Amino acid sequence: CSLVGSEMCIRDSTQVMSRNLVMQANYSYSKSDGYLTDPYKILSLVDGTTGDTLPRSGGIPVEGGPSHQFLFESRPDERTKHSIYTQAKYFMNGKVLDASYRYMTDDWEIDSHTVDLRYRVPLRGDAYLEPHLRFYTQTEAEFYRLSLDASQPLPSFASADYRLGNFDAITAGVKYGWKTRNDNDMSIRVEWYQQSGSVPSGQIIGNQAGRDNYPDLNAIIVQFSYRF
């Protein structure tokens, strides 16, 4: 087990299974200690019955300032992660199938699964086409909160950061690459990304049930690469 700095440990194994198949597996351990809170993330203070954000007291807010009550998030000052990663590459008459799976768990109660598939197909000359499909899913952190009920005692830790919530994501696309005259690599990649999440039903208060509490995210990714 090799140590990277003093906070990460990686154990890696690569095995040639046959002349056409190579497999890899590794285990990673990491520990973060210190200030892990995002100083720019906030949580709304809401009415415990209606779910509406409470207005600021003291009348009309200063122009450009917040109109409702909020508190800054707070996260634990330690985080330990464990992850297992496996990958297989299979050669099939010039084509290459690259498949991988990763499982991650941490002491914030986030569990994630990632499946990644790439299929490289050679074209005329030194060009190739590589379709890509990736699926990701994770559970929410134990301190993830949509909002804070003003009538309840404040929790020790809370965050409304969507990246710590429960969500699924799919990436699908294709990459086209080729060799230049001076033997450098060029490629263009076009992908579509979709992310959708949900908030635990126990955190929904009042008319929050009728709102889109975790809006979907859709993106088109275009990337041009040149390697020499």
Side-chain angles (χ1 to χ4, degrees):
C1 186
S2 59
L3 289 176
V4 180
S6 60
E7 301 296 335
M8 180 177 289
C9 177
I10 301 173
R11 184 180 295 274
D12 182 86
S13 176
T14 301
Q15 181 69 43
V16 177
M17 309 301 293
S18 70
R19 63 181 299 175
N20 294 331
L21 177 62
V22 177
M23 297 190 69
Q24 175 187 0
N26 68 53
Y27 162 77
S28 298
Y29 165 86
S30 67
K31 182 176 181 180
S32 302
D33 186 1
Y35 184 74
L36 304 180
T37 297
D38 189 324
Y40 303 103
K41 299 294 183 182
I42 62 174
L43 295 99
S44 297
L45 281 174
V46 302
D47 184 281
T49 301
T50 66
D52 292 329
T53 306
L54 298 176
R56 291 181 64 87
S57 58
I60 301 175
V62 177
E63 182 178 355
S67 59
H68 292 76
Q69 296 185 45
F70 66 88
L71 292 174
F72 287 97
E73 72 160 38
S74 177
R75 305 183 189 185
D77 57 8
E78 290 186 356
R79 186 180 187 183
T80 301
K81 297 181 183 179
H82 302 270
S83 67
I84 297 174
Y85 175 82
T86 61
Q87 182 184 32
K89 292 187 177 183
Y90 186 61
F91 179 81
M92 301 173 290
N93 297 321
K95 304 178 181 67
V96 178
L97 175 63
D98 185 347
S100 65
Y101 167 76
R102 179 178 181 268
Y103 169 71
M104 190 282 296
T105 185
D106 65 13
D107 55 1
W108 287 4
E109 302 301 325
I110 296 178
D111 295 318
S112 70
H113 302 269
T114 308
V115 176
D116 195 291
L117 299 171
R118 301 174 190 269
Y119 187 59
R120 182 161 173 158
V121 180
L123 302 176
R124 181 179 300 178
D126 292 323
Y128 65 89
L129 199 65
E130 187 177 82
H132 175 221
L133 180 64
R134 180 180 183 271
F135 174 75
Y136 176 84
T137 183
Q138 77 168 40
T139 58
E140 73 273 1
E142 61 180 344
F143 54 86
Y144 175 78
R145 299 288 185 275
L146 174 63
S147 57
L148 295 176
D149 185 344
S151 64
Q152 299 294 324
L154 293 176
S156 299
F157 306 109
S159 174
D161 189 339
Y162 72 92
R163 296 170 297 181
L164 299 178
N166 173 54
F167 71 88
D168 301 325
I170 295 177
T171 305
V174 64
K175 177 181 178 181
Y176 175 72
W178 67 95
K179 288 281 189 181
T180 64
R181 292 182 179 179
N182 53 1
D183 206 35
N184 293 331
D185 294 322
M186 296 185 71
S187 66
I188 184 169
R189 178 173 66 101
V190 179
E191 292 186 329
W192 170 74
Y193 175 83
Q194 182 184 54
Q195 177 179 307
S196 59
S198 62
V199 177
S201 58
Q203 296 188 23
I204 303 299
I205 303 173
N207 56 29
Q208 289 179 348
R211 302 172 186 168
D212 188 1
N213 296 304
Y214 201 125
D216 290 347
L217 171 64
N218 295 282
I220 299 293
I221 303 167
V222 179
Q223 182 184 54
F224 177 79
S225 299
Y226 179 73
R227 187 173 63 182
F228 55 90

